[in-house]
Amino acid sequence: TGAVVQKIDVPARYFGEGIVNWGRHLISLTWKSHVGFVYDLASLKKQREFHYEGEGWALTQDGKQLILSDGTPELRFLNPETLHETNRIQVTLDGKPVRNVNELEWVKGEIYANVWETNWIARIDPKDGHVLGVINLAGLLSPLDQLAGPDSVLNGIAYDAKGDRLFVTGKNWPKLF
């Protein structure tokens, strides 16, 4: 129905960004505050905070580790228990770094990433960061549904593994595809 069944507000001094489930936890980032939060998945009670370098743009997980985007061409891999960085890869397309790597989703052994302010979702090899392909979603939203402004861009990816479906949307978009 789209009804909210449970929620927790991020303190007003933070701009909440990426969030991912891990076991019985939700782990979330903040954009520029260098602090993340770990919540109990069932109750949404905050269990602890953690700190990281750089900005927090997005999180996903591959079943073994967390993957963090900070808007640069680099993706960081984090130990899900300690939340410390264990590895980095540089995202490249045709040998050139891809900037503005944003929203992340783990799909069938690949990292899908929205490239901020484009209509692209990059399919990234998690071993070396090479872009395996690009999904171009230009024209997905009709001109009548498009809102003016720099933030009205593709910005949401969710994968339903059971139904093998990819959901996409954007900031200020009135529709989910």
Side-chain angles (χ1 to χ4, degrees):
T1 66
V4 175
V5 294
Q6 191 175 9
K7 77 172 193 160
I8 186 167
D9 292 323
V10 176
R13 68 182 180 269
Y14 299 116
F15 187 103
E17 274 291 347
I19 191 165
V20 69
N21 64 307
W22 181 262
R24 295 187 316 247
H25 300 99
L26 283 177
I27 301 170
S28 71
L29 303 174
T30 58
W31 181 29
K32 293 186 176 184
S33 300
H34 315 286
V35 63
F37 304 103
V38 179
Y39 300 97
D40 177 79
L41 184 61
S43 68
L44 298 185
K45 181 179 178 185
K46 185 173 85 171
Q47 296 185 322
R48 66 183 172 120
E49 295 181 5
F50 65 100
H51 298 273
Y52 52 90
E53 297 293 320
E55 294 181 353
W57 283 35
L59 276 175
T60 193
Q61 54 112 330
D62 65 3
K64 297 177 186 164
Q65 54 199 340
L66 305 180
I67 306 165
L68 180 149
S69 168
D70 60 8
T72 71
E74 292 188 334
L75 294 178
R76 301 183 223 172
F77 293 80
L78 307 177
N79 176 304
E81 303 306 323
T82 66
L83 301 169
H84 293 131
E85 184 177 327
T86 60
N87 189 31
R88 282 185 189 221
I89 58 172
Q90 184 174 57
V91 179
T92 60
L93 176 62
D94 297 328
K96 296 177 183 158
V98 177
R99 297 174 3 135
N100 296 329
V101 176
N102 193 18
E103 171 65 13
L104 301 176
E105 189 70 20
W106 183 258
V107 180
K108 298 181 181 180
E110 298 177 1
I111 302 166
Y112 279 33
N114 160 243
V115 180
W116 176 248
E117 295 185 315
T118 75
N119 292 310
W120 295 0
I121 295 175
R123 294 178 35 241
I124 303 165
D125 186 327
K127 293 186 282 307
D128 60 13
H130 176 75
V131 173
L132 302 167
V134 173
I135 303 168
N136 186 346
L137 298 175
L140 186 62
L141 196 63
S142 77
L144 294 175
D145 287 328
Q146 291 179 4
L147 299 172
D151 287 338
S152 298
V153 295
L154 176 69
N155 193 46
I157 309 168
Y159 180 62
D160 168 24
K162 185 176 179 182
D164 193 25
R165 302 178 296 172
L166 187 67
F167 294 91
V168 296
T169 192
K171 289 191 181 214
N172 300 317
W173 282 24
K175 296 179 181 175
L176 173 73
F177 298 90

